[in-house]
Amino acid sequence: MEDAWVHLQQFTSARIALGRTGTSIPLKEMLAFRLAHAHARDAVYSLLEVDALQQACSEAFRLPVRVLHSQAADREVYLQRPDKGRQLDAVSVAALQDLPPEDLGKNIAFVITDGLSATAVNVHALPLLSLVLPALLESGYSLSPLHLVRQGRVAVGDAVGALLQARLVVVLIGERPGLSSPDSMGVYLTFAPQPGLTDEARNCISNIRPGGLSSEMAAARLAHLVRNALRQGLSGVHLKDDLMDGLLT
């Protein structure tokens, strides 16, 4: 008898209707599962391609691109001590404190960090920025220099944004890899960034990857959120992501 779930496979990458051999799933599916698990583990330990991103962003956007580091000295510390990934190390703090006045007080600061999948950021950060930065500049917003942060978590953007005295910080970060999405990137937006803020103060655009949310749609949503956040002076639970409402009416 045909599995009633088979026709649903076309709508999802979830592992459904795998079939069985005796009381077990088929060998092919078991091997596919193990391969997906290996890809997810590789993503967690992947490295941010700092030199390539720095050069590509500098050439594409004509903005200074600086490299910072969290307090997590290496990947093992990063995974075991999430708090250290949320804070900048002393060298990075000093570098931001020494910036010239013309680099401070901009409308928007963009921070790019590895998170739990540097693979996602290496692949998807530049395409997204290539779409959203020209749109924001065309709208008249001022941008801080771009900052790449090694071993960073979402909240490290608050530290960067506060030291840059930016009105708004946008963090591009690799998301926790799933068994079908080792390359998923997220974007977090926070108005008036300050250390100590928690997740309700942020807006999130998630699952940016070919099998999820396209760079084009993510860029449109991000530009929409940025404009509304700066106009209304808020973000997080108080800022409605109503872009789709406008498209559907």
Side-chain angles (χ1 to χ4, degrees), residues 56-63 125-126 129-131 133-134 137 146:
C57 289
S58 179
E59 293 175 352
F61 311 122
R62 305 300 178 187
L63 286 170
L126 191 62
L129 291 174
S130 297
L131 293 168
L133 290 188
L137 289 170
L146 298 177

Side-chain angles (χ1 to χ4, degrees), residues 143-193:
L143 302 180
S144 301
L146 298 177
H147 285 89
L148 305 173
V149 182
R150 287 188 171 102
Q151 309 295 359
R153 294 184 181 267
V154 172
V156 79
D158 296 333
V160 177
L163 288 167
L164 290 172
Q165 301 172 28
R167 294 184 64 203
L168 183 79
V169 68
V170 177
V171 178
L172 280 62
I173 188 169
E175 296 183 306
R176 185 185 306 276
L179 291 177
S180 60
S181 56
D183 62 338
S184 178
M185 187 178 75
V187 176
Y188 290 80
L189 175 151
T190 310
F191 184 81

